[in-house]
Amino acid sequence: MSRLVIFDCDGTLVDGQAAICDTMDEAFSAAGLAPPDRNEVRRMVGLSLPHALRILAPDASEDEHAAALEAYKAGYRSRRETGILEEPLYEGMKALIERLDAAGWLLGVATGKSDRGLHACLETHGIKHRFVTLQTADRHPSKPHPAMLEEALAEAGVGAADAVMVGDTTFDIDMAIAARVRAIGVAWGYHEPGELIAAGAQGVAETMEQLEEMIGG
């Protein structure tokens, strides 16, 4: 019987908050908007970029949203291409992924990142080959819509009862519940553990060892 564990990316696999906040500041300035509060930016990580921008700048015009969107994409791409983008894996995550893979788990990612951004991130850390399904905001509605998880299950050939979603935000937990997939939170990301439990997470891991135990059920 196949089993699938699907990870969120930013705030779960990697810590990209500094790059996200810096790029968002630049994108808002380029669009003629006042930069958003950084704590609010961190809380939007995981949503698709257009959805996040609408929440962060609710009074901006469609043209301003469009300008900020394109400036963010260009800024993030420039950081990646010039080698200054910092998206470090959380300590112990690579070893955990290798152990899960060796134990027979199928692995996937469901993220608000773009296809290009996710592939580049996983390739940089030498773990892309570990994943059998990669779902991004380029091809699906924003979290918490369950489309990403539904497609991941279909690609992996695994039923919802044999899958688990691991994430750091209530968007991840809500998405998992909508897809009838078991949800586990992590304490090192961008939403508080109490929020994840209230949203329906089975538990919130504070260490990689706890996360491995929770995934095993």
Side-chain angles (χ1 to χ4, degrees), residues 69-168:
L69 178 68
E70 292 308 313
Y72 185 94
K73 289 180 177 179
Y76 215 82
R77 182 169 59 251
S78 176
R79 278 177 162 77
R80 184 169 58 246
E81 292 174 349
T82 57
I84 64 171
L85 179 62
E86 294 187 4
E87 296 179 309
L89 281 170
Y90 286 102
E91 186 175 355
M93 181 57 74
K94 186 171 186 178
L96 172 60
I97 289 170
E98 291 171 348
R99 290 197 301 273
L100 291 171
D101 190 13
W105 282 89
L106 299 177
L107 305 177
V109 177
T111 176
K113 280 183 175 296
S114 66
D115 283 328
R116 178 185 294 176
L118 177 60
H119 286 252
C121 178
L122 299 180
E123 287 169 353
T124 295
H125 293 299
I127 57 175
K128 182 182 172 184
H129 66 289
R130 302 284 184 184
F131 296 92
V132 301
T133 179
L134 301 174
Q135 306 301 324
T136 75
D138 280 350
R139 291 170 283 113
H140 297 289
S142 178
K143 296 175 184 179
H145 193 284
M148 281 195 273
L149 290 188
E150 291 168 348
E151 185 63 21
L153 294 171
E155 286 190 358
V158 173
D162 296 315
V164 56
M165 174 71 201
V166 177
D168 69 298

Side-chain angles (χ1 to χ4, degrees), residues 130-215:
R130 302 284 184 184
F131 296 92
V132 301
T133 179
L134 301 174
Q135 306 301 324
T136 75
D138 280 350
R139 291 170 283 113
H140 297 289
S142 178
K143 296 175 184 179
H145 193 284
M148 281 195 273
L149 290 188
E150 291 168 348
E151 185 63 21
L153 294 171
E155 286 190 358
V158 173
D162 296 315
V164 56
M165 174 71 201
V166 177
D168 69 298
T169 69
T170 57
F171 315 130
D172 300 311
I173 307 306
D174 290 342
M175 178 176 64
I177 290 172
R180 294 186 170 88
V181 168
R182 184 162 60 102
I184 296 173
V186 297
W188 49 81
Y190 307 142
H191 286 188
E192 294 298 320
E195 295 178 275
L196 305 182
I197 293 295
Q202 182 185 64
V204 178
E206 296 188 1
T207 66
M208 293 298 164
E209 290 74 23
Q210 286 182 353
L211 179 55
E212 189 169 7
E213 290 176 6
M214 290 180 182
I215 289 172

Side-chain angles (χ1 to χ4, degrees), residues 3-117:
R3 302 175 299 169
L4 173 67
V5 55
I6 306 133
F7 291 89
D8 168 55
C9 189
D10 291 302
T12 301
L13 292 177
V14 303
D15 185 4
Q17 64 174 309
I20 291 169
C21 288
D22 289 346
T23 308
M24 194 68 77
D25 280 351
E26 295 166 5
F28 268 60
S29 294
L33 298 170
D37 179 87
R38 289 197 160 208
N39 185 56
E40 290 304 309
V41 173
R42 284 189 287 270
R43 290 190 60 80
M44 293 302 106
V45 173
L47 297 176
S48 68
L49 183 56
H51 193 175
L53 288 171
R54 286 193 294 271
I55 295 173
L56 291 169
D59 298 326
S61 68
E62 287 300 314
D63 286 345
E64 288 169 330
H65 280 152
L69 178 68
E70 292 308 313
Y72 185 94
K73 289 180 177 179
Y76 215 82
R77 182 169 59 251
S78 176
R79 278 177 162 77
R80 184 169 58 246
E81 292 174 349
T82 57
I84 64 171
L85 179 62
E86 294 187 4
E87 296 179 309
L89 281 170
Y90 286 102
E91 186 175 355
M93 181 57 74
K94 186 171 186 178
L96 172 60
I97 289 170
E98 291 171 348
R99 290 197 301 273
L100 291 171
D101 190 13
W105 282 89
L106 299 177
L107 305 177
V109 177
T111 176
K113 280 183 175 296
S114 66
D115 283 328
R116 178 185 294 176

